[in-house]
Amino acid sequence: MSAYSDKFCQLDVLLTQERAFWQFMPFACHEYPWQHSHPALSGWLDSLTDQDVANLLQDTAALIDELAVFLPALPEVHQLADIPALPLVSEVSPHLPRGLDVGIPGRKWQQVLAFNAVLPSHQLPWLEWCAGKGYLGRVLAAYHHTQVTSLEWQQSLTLAGQSAADQLGLPMTFVQADAFAPESASVIRPDQHAVALHACGDLHVSLLERVAAKRTVAVSVSPCCYHLIRHDTYQPLSAPAKTSELRLSKHDLRMPLQETVTAGQRVKQQRFVEVSYRLGFDALQKYLTGNDAYLSVPNVQKALLKNGFADFCRWAAAQKGLQLPQGIDYAHWQQQGEACFRKVERMELVRQAFRRPLEMWLVFDRALFMENAGYQVSVGTFCDKPVTPRNIMIHAQLEK
Ligand SMILES: C[S@@+](CC[C@H](N)C(=O)[O-])C[C@H]1O[C@@H](n2cnc3c(N)ncnc32)[C@H](O)[C@@H]1O
């Protein structure tokens, strides 16, 4: 058994055992799912001030310490999900031709440099999957002096990317194609190193599957947007994941991406208003219709929120074809919404503790799939979280 298979199996057992604490929809819950099974946890959550919640959301280590009192398995879950930084193969700030970073947003440039710095050099042509404007490809072409093929679906991006590469004199060729189309498999060849920086859900999975089928020498991907999949539920790749009891919905798969980023006061206030309005309207519609299921309402123009809760309810009711009677006590339902918002925040705090572990379950599934296909796999981070929270790389190369 490989180290990843061991870790995956232990993580799988614990995530399955603890699923009542993360596999649910906070919006749809009237009370904590553990209200009766774990009253001490519920009491502790209710005792937290909004500032406590905000502080703990920013400090995972402190959150785990606090939650471990009620969920003793949590430290082990986190230990299993802890991965090392990948060793640097080259410098993070190598000497590169001037002008290479023109038009590349600062954080993306840092990601691209960090990604390049941990890539082993096989001196093979590169295939850049879901390339966007080929920012990563630019650095690969300039640093390794090897040919890059950049596949991207959006024509405007391929045109912009090709034009920039030509101006910089880089050996890059853009291919405008749908990564899922059967013809796109023809750009994947055995004598290549395939890379994908932040290719969403099925896009990086399909790359791994095709690379394995073609016996391509090496592939390095940093996964993101695990929920962007074509099936309704997650389709496990590896044998251990196929035997897991976990069934992951798109809602579950969104979880790793919901790690909170530090938001300013204005953004926080806007979120409070919108979410509490939505929850207040939901409480009202449940009362009026007797229907206990959460009623989701489409995206709202932010300007409408400024008109107050009653106007929001009238708009939401019109969207859902619901008649609102006269004499509704809107202040009451607004208060209900605000109370629900505070509960939802505290449920999200508990789910927060499982975000990275669930991400690692998904990452280990991919790693095990590649191991089983005969690849030597390493999993680690390629940059720190402030550069991008999607900072995991799976590197696989054919065993010799
Ligand atoms: C999150 S972006 C990452 C882009 C680039 N790798 C980067 O890190 O800057 C994902 C890219 O995948 C492209 N994409 C989405 N669906 C695709 C498909 N079916 N085939 C090829 N590219 C696709 C998008 O247009 C987008 O440029």
Coordinates of all heavy atoms in Angstrom, one line a residue, residues 108 111-112 128-136 151-154 157 175 177-181 184 196-200 203 222 224-225, ligand 1:
K108 N -1.3 36.2 -10.0 CA -1.2 35.1 -11.0 C 0.2 34.9 -11.4 O 0.7 33.8 -11.5 CB -2.1 35.4 -12.2 CG -2.1 34.4 -13.3 CD -2.5 33.0 -12.8 CE -4.0 32.8 -12.6 NZ -4.3 31.4 -12.2
Q111 N 1.9 32.9 -8.7 CA 1.4 31.5 -8.8 C 2.2 30.8 -9.9 O 2.7 29.7 -9.7 CB 0.0 31.4 -9.1 CG -1.0 31.9 -8.0 CD -2.4 32.0 -8.6 OE1 -2.8 31.4 -9.5 NE2 -3.2 32.9 -7.9
V112 N 2.3 31.5 -11.0 CA 3.0 30.8 -12.2 C 4.5 30.6 -11.9 O 5.0 29.5 -12.2 CB 2.8 31.8 -13.4 CG1 3.8 31.5 -14.5 CG2 1.4 31.7 -13.9
E128 N 0.1 22.7 -22.1 CA -0.6 23.5 -21.1 C -2.1 23.3 -21.3 O -2.6 23.8 -22.3 CB -0.1 24.9 -21.2 CG -0.7 25.8 -20.1 CD -0.4 27.3 -20.3 OE1 -0.1 27.7 -21.4 OE2 -0.5 28.0 -19.3
W129 N -2.8 22.7 -20.4 CA -4.2 22.3 -20.5 C -5.0 23.4 -19.9 O -4.7 23.9 -18.8 CB -4.4 21.0 -19.7 CG -5.6 20.2 -20.0 CD1 -6.7 20.0 -19.2 CD2 -5.9 19.5 -21.2 NE1 -7.6 19.2 -19.8 CE2 -7.1 18.8 -21.1 CE3 -5.2 19.3 -22.4 CZ2 -7.7 18.1 -22.0 CZ3 -5.8 18.5 -23.4 CH2 -7.0 17.9 -23.2
C130 N -6.1 23.9 -20.6 CA -6.9 25.0 -20.1 C -6.1 26.2 -19.8 O -6.1 26.6 -18.6 CB -7.8 24.5 -19.0 SG -8.8 23.1 -19.4
A131 N -5.4 26.7 -20.8 CA -4.3 27.6 -20.6 C -4.7 29.0 -20.3 O -3.8 29.8 -19.9 CB -3.4 27.6 -21.9
G132 N -5.9 29.4 -20.6 CA -6.2 30.8 -20.5 C -5.4 31.5 -21.5 O -5.3 31.1 -22.7
K133 N -4.7 32.6 -21.1 CA -3.8 33.3 -22.0 C -2.4 32.7 -22.0 O -1.5 33.3 -22.6 CB -3.8 34.8 -21.7 CG -5.1 35.5 -21.9 CD -4.9 37.0 -21.7 CE -6.2 37.8 -21.7 NZ -6.1 39.2 -21.3
G134 N -2.3 31.6 -21.4 CA -1.0 30.9 -21.4 C 0.1 31.5 -20.5 O 1.3 31.5 -20.9
Y135 N -0.3 32.1 -19.4 CA 0.6 32.8 -18.5 C 1.7 31.8 -18.0 O 2.9 32.1 -18.0 CB -0.1 33.4 -17.3 CG -1.0 34.5 -17.6 CD1 -2.1 34.7 -16.8 CD2 -0.8 35.3 -18.7 CE1 -3.0 35.8 -17.1 CE2 -1.7 36.4 -19.0 CZ -2.8 36.6 -18.2 OH -3.6 37.6 -18.4
L136 N 1.3 30.6 -17.6 CA 2.2 29.6 -17.2 C 3.1 29.1 -18.3 O 4.3 29.0 -18.2 CB 1.4 28.4 -16.6 CG 2.3 27.1 -16.2 CD1 3.3 27.5 -15.1 CD2 1.4 26.0 -15.7
L151 N -3.6 24.6 -24.9 CA -5.0 24.3 -25.3 C -5.9 25.1 -24.4 O -5.8 25.2 -23.2 CB -5.3 22.8 -25.1 CG -6.7 22.4 -25.6 CD1 -6.7 21.2 -26.5 CD2 -7.6 22.2 -24.4
E152 N -6.8 25.9 -25.1 CA -7.8 26.7 -24.4 C -9.0 26.8 -25.3 O -9.0 26.8 -26.5 CB -7.1 28.1 -24.2 CG -8.1 29.2 -23.8 CD -8.9 29.0 -22.5 OE1 -8.3 28.6 -21.5 OE2 -10.1 29.3 -22.6
W153 N -10.2 26.9 -24.6 CA -11.5 26.9 -25.3 C -11.9 28.2 -25.8 O -12.4 28.4 -26.9 CB -12.5 26.4 -24.2 CG -13.8 26.2 -24.7 CD1 -14.2 25.7 -25.9 CD2 -15.0 26.4 -24.0 NE1 -15.6 25.6 -26.0 CE2 -16.1 26.0 -24.8 CE3 -15.3 26.9 -22.7 CZ2 -17.4 26.1 -24.3 CZ3 -16.6 27.0 -22.3 CH2 -17.6 26.6 -23.1
Q154 N -11.6 29.3 -25.1 CA -12.1 30.6 -25.5 C -11.1 31.3 -26.5 O -9.9 31.5 -26.2 CB -12.1 31.6 -24.3 CG -13.2 31.2 -23.3 CD -13.3 32.2 -22.2 OE1 -13.5 33.4 -22.5 NE2 -13.1 31.8 -20.9
L157 N -9.0 34.3 -25.7 CA -7.8 34.1 -24.9 C -6.7 33.5 -25.7 O -5.5 33.9 -25.6 CB -8.2 33.2 -23.7 CG -9.3 33.7 -22.8 CD1 -9.5 32.7 -21.6 CD2 -9.0 35.1 -22.2
V175 N -3.8 26.2 -29.2 CA -4.8 25.4 -29.9 C -6.2 25.8 -29.3 O -6.3 25.7 -28.1 CB -4.6 23.9 -29.7 CG1 -5.6 23.1 -30.4 CG2 -3.2 23.5 -30.2
A177 N -9.6 24.8 -28.6 CA -10.4 23.5 -28.6 C -11.1 23.3 -27.3 O -10.6 23.8 -26.2 CB -9.4 22.4 -28.9
D178 N -12.1 22.5 -27.3 CA -12.8 22.0 -26.1 C -12.0 20.8 -25.6 O -11.9 19.8 -26.2 CB -14.2 21.6 -26.5 CG -15.0 21.1 -25.3 OD1 -14.4 21.0 -24.2 OD2 -16.2 20.7 -25.5
A179 N -11.5 21.0 -24.3 CA -10.7 19.9 -23.7 C -11.4 18.6 -23.7 O -10.8 17.5 -23.7 CB -10.3 20.3 -22.3
F180 N -12.8 18.6 -23.6 CA -13.5 17.4 -23.5 C -13.7 16.7 -24.9 O -14.1 15.5 -24.9 CB -14.9 17.6 -22.9 CG -14.8 18.1 -21.5 CD1 -15.5 19.2 -21.1 CD2 -14.2 17.3 -20.5 CE1 -15.4 19.6 -19.7 CE2 -14.1 17.7 -19.2 CZ -14.7 18.9 -18.8
A181 N -13.6 17.5 -26.0 CA -13.8 16.9 -27.3 C -12.9 15.7 -27.5 O -11.7 15.8 -27.2 CB -13.7 18.0 -28.4
S184 N -9.5 16.5 -29.0 CA -8.5 17.1 -28.2 C -7.4 16.2 -27.6 O -6.3 16.5 -27.2 CB -9.1 17.9 -27.0 OG -9.9 19.0 -27.5
A196 N -1.4 21.7 -15.8 CA -2.7 22.4 -15.7 C -2.7 23.2 -14.4 O -2.7 22.6 -13.4 CB -3.9 21.5 -15.8
L197 N -2.7 24.5 -14.6 CA -2.8 25.4 -13.4 C -4.2 25.8 -13.3 O -4.8 26.4 -14.2 CB -1.9 26.6 -13.6 CG -2.0 27.7 -12.5 CD1 -1.6 27.2 -11.1 CD2 -1.1 28.9 -12.9
H198 N -4.8 25.4 -12.2 CA -6.2 25.8 -11.9 C -7.2 25.4 -13.0 O -8.0 26.2 -13.4 CB -6.3 27.2 -11.5 CG -5.6 27.6 -10.3 ND1 -5.3 28.8 -9.9 CD2 -5.2 26.7 -9.3 CE1 -4.6 28.8 -8.7 NE2 -4.5 27.5 -8.3
A199 N -7.1 24.2 -13.5 CA -8.1 23.7 -14.4 C -9.2 23.1 -13.6 O -9.0 22.3 -12.6 CB -7.5 22.6 -15.3
C200 N -10.5 23.5 -13.9 CA -11.6 23.2 -13.0 C -12.0 21.7 -13.1 O -11.8 21.1 -14.1 CB -12.8 24.0 -13.4 SG -12.4 25.8 -13.5
L203 N -12.2 19.1 -15.9 CA -11.1 19.4 -16.9 C -9.8 18.8 -16.5 O -9.1 18.3 -17.3 CB -11.0 20.9 -17.1 CG -12.2 21.6 -17.8 CD1 -12.2 23.1 -17.6 CD2 -12.2 21.2 -19.3
S222 N -2.7 21.5 -10.7 CA -3.1 22.1 -9.4 C -4.7 22.2 -9.6 O -5.2 23.0 -10.4 CB -2.5 23.5 -9.1 OG -3.0 24.4 -10.0
C224 N -8.7 22.8 -9.1 CA -9.6 23.8 -8.5 C -11.0 23.5 -8.9 O -11.2 22.6 -9.7 CB -9.2 25.2 -8.8 SG -9.7 25.9 -10.3
C225 N -12.0 24.2 -8.3 CA -13.4 24.1 -8.7 C -13.8 22.6 -8.8 O -14.3 22.2 -9.9 CB -13.7 24.9 -9.9 SG -13.4 26.6 -9.8
Ligands
LIG1 C1 -9.5 28.9 -13.9 S1 -9.0 29.2 -15.6 C2 -7.3 28.9 -15.5 C3 -6.5 29.5 -16.7 C4 -5.0 29.4 -16.6 N1 -4.6 28.0 -16.5 C5 -4.5 30.2 -15.4 O1 -4.2 29.7 -14.3 O2 -4.5 31.4 -15.5 C6 -9.7 27.9 -16.4 C7 -9.6 28.0 -18.0 O3 -10.2 26.8 -18.5 C8 -10.8 27.2 -19.7 N2 -11.8 26.2 -20.1 C9 -13.0 26.0 -19.5 N3 -13.6 25.0 -20.1 C10 -12.8 24.5 -21.1 C11 -12.9 23.5 -22.0 N4 -14.0 22.7 -22.1 N5 -11.9 23.3 -22.8 C12 -10.7 24.0 -22.8 N6 -10.6 25.0 -21.9 C13 -11.6 25.3 -21.0 C14 -11.4 28.6 -19.4 O4 -11.7 29.3 -20.6 C15 -10.3 29.2 -18.6 O5 -9.4 29.9 -19.4

